[in-house]
Amino acid sequence: MTLKPYLPIAVLIGSFLAGGLTLSVPGPAMAQSVRTLPDFTDLVEQVGPSVVNIRTLEKAAARGAQNGAPDEEMQEFFRRFFGVPMPSPNAPRQQRPNRPQQPEEEQPRGVGSGFILSSDGFVMTNAHVVEGADQVIVTLPDKREFKARIVGADKRTDVAVVKIEATGLPAVKVGDVSRLKVGEWVMAIGSPFGLDNTVTAGIVSAKQRDTGDYLPFIQTDVAINPGNSGGPLINMRGEVVGINSQIYSRSGGFMGISFAIPIDEAVRVSDQLRATGRVQRGRLGVQIDQVSKEVAESLGLAKAQGALVRGVEQGSPAEKAGLEAGDIILRFDGKVIEKSADLPRIVGSTKPGTRSTLQIWRRGGTRDVSITVGEVEAEKPVKKAVAPTEKPASSLSFKVLGLTVSDLNEAQKKELKLQGGVRVEAVAEVAARAGIQEGDVILALANAETPSVQAFEGLVAKLDRSKPVSLLIRRGEWAQYTVIRPQR
């Protein structure tokens, strides 16, 4: 037996210092197994001139800390992961009695990062970097400073665009996020803790990470800290593939998990901000939830997919289209809804006023529903359910389901805007384990409507006690499915 010697450590160190360590496996396939550690120097030279530092100022009267409480800026630091608050060194520590009110002055508020979108001075950053700022100052890598105008900011995606009066600026190249692969090397440039032009690197840890309503984030292990926010995430071709936006942290500092907004999503938002100063998004007016495996099986769906409609807003496009609580939306204009988070993203990117088609699952079968997409507006507070004002006429117990139910009285029907249903008066055993509560209204059992206790009783009599059964329940203004395993 012949032992092959290890590569001498001096050669390993020499190769690393020469600009990149190359490891190879001896044998015929050596040419196919070469791996080289990346060199980021060319990328820094290529993209670095396009990355800017962003300082924000706010108008505030000079004041001191009260009762030893932390400054508002320090509270802001703990409230956000990004944007380093900077307490003013000129603010007096105490306010003398009877002293006239100090005039407002611009005080440092925070610092973040950004990058040049176009040579004529449009700069992209995060919305939370410029939120609440009375003045935005952009500093280029060559130390030139410009007062910037906020073109527009979108809180839902955390994307903002500012404009400086300059020309001939080095704009970034926008990459193709669909080509980005998990495990691929990426690099970030920004101003962590106010340290300009700081370069960090790592790999893509995951794609399509769900952390928000409208954006599937890129997860990386690139070191990101307060002040990096709004800076670019760059691939090995020198293209921007994301905006560094969030971190997962228990301390306020980097812990190995960071998130970036995909650049294709950000560019779509920035195009609207530059055109109109705001972002239009489509809406249906539904409250949705995930479809669990148990619910899918009990309803006869081939797999757990789609968005479960828990509630329909009054006067919304969904109500006008005839959508009901308990419907499962499977497709939107032919696009498959794999999980509930897909629906607001697809609908949100649809222009308000568009006539679209939904494929829904209702009572054991699919049907198409035509709907005119509305526009996202300010969120409305959810109304609390009103306690019944009339005592139920009679109730009936079903031990097999652990339920005691009664017919809805007229006041309850009017309050809930229902034609029928049975109200849960008591729960025990299997019903309690399924999460059913007193006061819930059962709208359907095993895909069949339950307009009355009599109808409910007939459906219970036909149940196959060896199989789980689905119930569509209404709680307050929202509806959801639950699954019960009947007692034998």
Side-chain angles (χ1 to χ4, degrees):
M1 179 176 68
T2 303
L3 296 177
K4 296 186 180 293
Y6 289 106
L7 193 64
I9 188 64
V11 175
L12 288 172
I13 295 174
S15 299
F16 181 78
L17 294 177
L21 173 59
T22 301
L23 301 179
S24 59
V25 179
M30 183 169 60
Q32 285 78 21
S33 59
V34 175
R35 295 292 183 269
T36 305
L37 292 177
D39 183 347
F40 296 97
T41 55
D42 289 341
L43 297 183
V44 175
E45 292 178 1
Q46 178 182 342
V47 185
S50 303
V51 182
V52 303
N53 172 274
I54 296 178
R55 289 195 337 270
T56 57
L57 304 175
E58 64 180 347
K59 292 179 180 178
R63 68 193 190 287
Q66 299 178 359
N67 302 323
D71 292 342
E72 290 182 9
E73 290 85 354
M74 185 58 70
Q75 295 173 9
E76 177 72 4
F77 173 82
F78 288 105
R79 189 171 73 87
R80 292 191 183 279
F81 287 137
F82 297 91
V84 179
M86 296 161 47
S88 172
N90 299 322
R93 293 183 176 274
Q94 295 181 345
Q95 186 80 15
R96 295 180 181 177
N98 302 322
R99 185 174 180 176
Q101 179 67 36
Q102 297 293 321
E104 288 190 340
E105 59 182 28
E106 289 185 334
Q107 298 182 0
R109 179 182 174 276
V111 63
S113 305
F115 52 93
I116 299 169
L117 271 179
S118 61
S119 61
D120 57 349
F122 284 97
V123 175
M124 183 181 286
T125 185
N126 283 143
H128 74 254
V129 170
V130 299
E131 181 182 4
D134 293 304
Q135 189 175 134
V136 177
I137 299 175
V138 172
T139 304
L140 304 184
D142 61 11
K143 303 306 178 185
R144 286 186 293 165
E145 285 192 354
F146 297 87
K147 289 184 179 180
R149 171 177 59 89
I150 300 176
V151 175
D154 181 55
K155 288 185 179 181
R156 283 187 168 90
T157 55
D158 200 18
V159 173
V161 176
V162 302
K163 177 72 166 63
I164 62 176
E165 296 305 318
T167 57
L169 300 177
V172 298
K173 293 180 180 179
V174 176
D176 183 354
V177 178
S178 66
R179 297 178 59 189
L180 194 66
K181 296 181 179 179
V182 174
E184 180 178 336
W185 283 96
V186 284
M187 179 184 77
I189 305 178
S191 304
F193 303 108
L195 302 171
D196 296 355
N197 307 113
T198 298
V199 179
T200 54
I203 63 169
V204 175
S205 304
K207 294 178 65 177
Q208 301 288 320
R209 185 67 76 195
D210 289 326
T211 63
D213 288 339
Y214 290 100
L215 288 176
F217 284 90
I218 302 168
Q219 180 185 330
T220 76
D221 67 352
V222 178
I224 299 296
N225 281 291
N228 273 113
S229 191
L233 185 71
I234 305 155
N235 64 19
M236 294 304 293
R237 291 179 291 277
E239 301 164 335
V240 175
V241 292
I243 308 175
N244 297 311
S245 178
Q246 300 179 11
I247 59 173
Y248 172 82
S249 177
R250 294 179 178 175
S251 63
F254 177 66
M255 294 185 67
I257 297 178
S258 54
F259 300 98
I261 301 166
I263 194 62
D264 54 347
E265 302 276 358
V267 167
R268 277 197 286 270
V269 171
S270 70
D271 287 344
Q272 290 195 56
L273 292 176
R274 290 171 63 177
T276 64
R278 60 187 291 265
V279 177
Q280 283 188 314
R281 286 192 178 85
R283 65 182 287 269
L284 301 182
V286 291
Q287 175 80 4
I288 58 173
D289 204 350
Q290 285 286 84
V291 178
S292 69
K293 183 179 179 181
E294 280 192 325
V295 166
E297 289 176 350
S298 67
L299 296 179
L301 279 171
K303 64 176 183 177
Q305 70 173 73
L308 167 63
V309 177
R310 293 189 59 205
V312 179
E313 295 177 16
Q314 186 175 1
S316 67
E319 185 186 56
K320 294 174 183 177
L323 285 182
E324 301 175 1
D327 289 343
I328 295 177
I329 301 175
L330 301 175
R331 293 176 182 266
F332 180 88
D333 277 343
K335 299 174 184 175
V336 177
I337 309 299
E338 291 290 349
K339 53 186 181 299
S340 61
D342 293 340
L343 185 64
R345 291 171 188 158
I346 295 174
V347 176
S349 62
T350 303
K351 185 177 179 180
T354 303
R355 193 74 176 169
S356 299
T357 301
L358 299 175
Q359 184 189 73
I360 66 171
W361 182 271
R362 180 185 295 174
R363 316 238 200 292
T366 60
R367 65 179 68 183
D368 288 340
V369 175
S370 182
I371 188 169
T372 300
V373 176
E375 183 175 355
V376 170
E377 54 191 17
E379 293 183 359
K380 297 179 181 178
V382 177
K383 295 180 181 178
K384 293 183 178 180
V386 177
T389 56
E390 299 178 21
K391 186 176 180 180
S394 61
S395 61
L396 194 62
S397 295
F398 298 89
K399 186 176 180 181
V400 64
L401 298 178
L403 289 169
T404 299
V405 299
S406 65
D407 286 318
L408 291 177
N409 57 43
E410 292 305 315
Q412 291 166 338
K413 291 178 182 179
K414 183 177 180 181
E415 174 63 31
L416 296 172
K417 297 181 176 63
L418 293 174
Q419 296 299 317
V422 294
R423 185 180 188 275
V424 176
E425 300 298 333
V427 295
E429 302 166 343
V430 291
R433 289 197 295 271
I436 297 178
Q437 301 176 10
E438 181 181 341
D440 288 345
V441 176
I442 300 174
L443 304 178
L445 174 68
N447 277 333
E449 292 183 352
T450 54
S452 64
V453 171
Q454 183 179 0
F456 188 82
E457 183 178 20
L459 293 171
V460 172
K462 298 176 183 178
L463 289 179
D464 182 347
R465 299 192 183 189
S466 65
K467 297 179 180 179
V469 59
S470 67
L471 286 86
L472 176 61
I473 63 173
R474 172 85 171 265
R475 182 174 299 163
E477 287 200 341
W478 309 121
Q480 65 187 65
Y481 280 102
T482 188
V483 176
I484 287 183
R485 296 185 180 277
Q487 293 185 125
R488 299 186 182 184

